[in-house]
Amino acid sequence: MGERHIFVRFEACHMACAYCDEVDKKSVEMSVADILKEVVRLEKKSGPHACVSLTGGEPLLYADFLKRLCPELKKEKFRILLETSGVLWQQLSRIVGACDIIAMDLKLSSVTRQKEFLEDHRKFLKLAKRKEVYIKVVVSKKVDLCEYDEHLRMVAQVAPHTPVFLQPAYVTGRGAPASARRPMCCGKGVYPDPALMRFLDELQRTGAKRLSDVRVGIQLQKLMNIR
Ligand code: SF4
């Protein structure tokens, strides 16, 4: 949080989380050479950046492309951060060696309103822990505490010292009421929701009984109105 990153954002996702704010964003087609040129330009213009962040959507849907892109970024001495839903472990196995940091989600079905991915997350974390890894859990007031604890127990079994960030959901997109589908900032008192922050306190205390490093992570870009 707070570092300068260059974001390479990939279109589309295999999931449909209720809180997703990436739906319907326009994209342009770019080659490996196009991306490299743009990343180098941005680094010169506004660097130094701590990382090139491969994000989405779901970047692992493009594993073949990443296999070609990552070595080119490494030649230019960039650190590579992969941000992912933490589900597509077969695809990760093909590019894990090229990543420096892996930021994986734990998707709680009580929040995403999608199916559960506990066993996929377990396989994913086993691979990801070869690298620097941290976990993000998007939470809302709908968190099922049994499901939450089951997921943290899995992390405790596989990689107990992994930092886990509890991130309050930014309610917009598919799951939001029409009135919420607009930019929100702390000045308008909407993000983060104060009632959810109190619940976060409970989630963090519960989590700290399972794991050594459970933190609250706010979406800084929302507070700073950065798109
Ligand atoms: S994994 Fe991320 S990009 Fe995909 S639907 Fe969920 S929130 Fe959106």
Side-chain angles (χ1 to χ4, degrees):
M1 185 184 273
E3 290 181 333
R4 299 180 77 85
H5 287 197
I6 296 172
F7 292 91
V8 180
R9 192 172 287 284
F10 289 80
E11 183 192 32
C13 187
H14 62 120
M15 300 191 63
C17 304
Y19 51 79
C20 185
D21 58 3
E22 288 301 318
V23 270
D24 303 330
K25 286 198 175 164
K26 289 201 168 64
S27 65
V28 289
E29 200 168 314
M30 296 177 83
S31 66
V32 167
D34 292 337
I35 292 176
L36 195 66
K37 192 171 159 200
E38 184 62 7
V39 166
V40 169
R41 186 188 72 78
L42 287 169
E43 176 70 2
K44 279 191 188 138
K45 182 177 165 230
S46 54
H49 297 88
C51 287
V52 173
S53 176
L54 307 175
T55 186
E58 174 52 80
L60 285 174
L61 291 178
Y62 305 86
D64 288 338
F65 188 84
L66 294 180
K67 261 188 102 95
R68 292 189 285 121
L69 175 64
C70 290
E72 297 302 321
L73 291 171
K74 297 306 288 181
K75 276 188 211 161
E76 297 290 335
K77 311 277 185 232
F78 288 110
R79 295 188 83 214
I80 297 176
L81 164 64
L82 175 70
E83 289 192 312
T84 163
S85 60
V87 170
L88 302 176
W89 51 271
Q90 294 100 327
Q91 288 85 339
L92 177 69
S93 68
R94 297 169 56 203
I95 63 135
V96 65
C99 302
D100 295 295
I101 310 168
I102 298 170
M104 64 172 283
D105 287 358
L106 284 187
K107 297 290 188 190
L108 302 180
S109 61
S110 49
V111 180
T112 62
R113 295 185 221 153
Q114 299 287 294
K115 69 174 188 148
E116 186 185 289
F117 291 98
L118 181 62
E119 290 314 311
D120 291 300
H121 285 321
R122 186 190 303 277
K123 288 174 184 157
F124 196 99
L125 183 56
K126 280 182 182 169
L127 286 167
K129 74 177 184 179
R130 296 184 202 164
K131 298 292 175 141
E132 184 179 339
V133 59
Y134 66 90
I135 291 172
K136 182 182 79 188
V137 189
V138 175
V139 296
S140 72
K141 284 178 270 186
K142 296 188 188 313
V143 168
D144 176 317
L145 291 175
C146 292
E147 184 190 27
Y148 172 69
D149 190 54
E150 195 181 19
H151 280 68
L152 295 196
R153 200 165 61 231
M154 178 279 288
V155 176
Q157 289 162 355
V158 176
H161 301 299
T162 309
V164 173
F165 292 84
L166 305 176
Q167 182 180 289
Y170 175 71
V171 183
T172 185
R174 290 184 186 91
S179 60
R181 287 179 199 148
R182 63 185 196 278
M184 293 182 249
C185 69
C186 65
K188 292 176 185 157
V190 182
Y191 181 81
D193 174 357
L196 177 54
M197 292 307 284
R198 285 192 289 278
F199 185 40
L200 260 176
D201 181 60
E202 181 187 338
L203 292 174
Q204 189 185 27
R205 278 188 288 111
T206 315
K209 290 178 187 157
R210 287 263 177 231
L211 299 168
S212 59
D213 193 357
V214 181
R215 314 181 200 180
V216 171
I218 303 292
Q219 283 183 289
L220 203 54
Q221 74 274 24
K222 302 285 194 252
L223 299 182
M224 295 173 73
N225 249 337
I226 297 172
R227 287 172 176 255

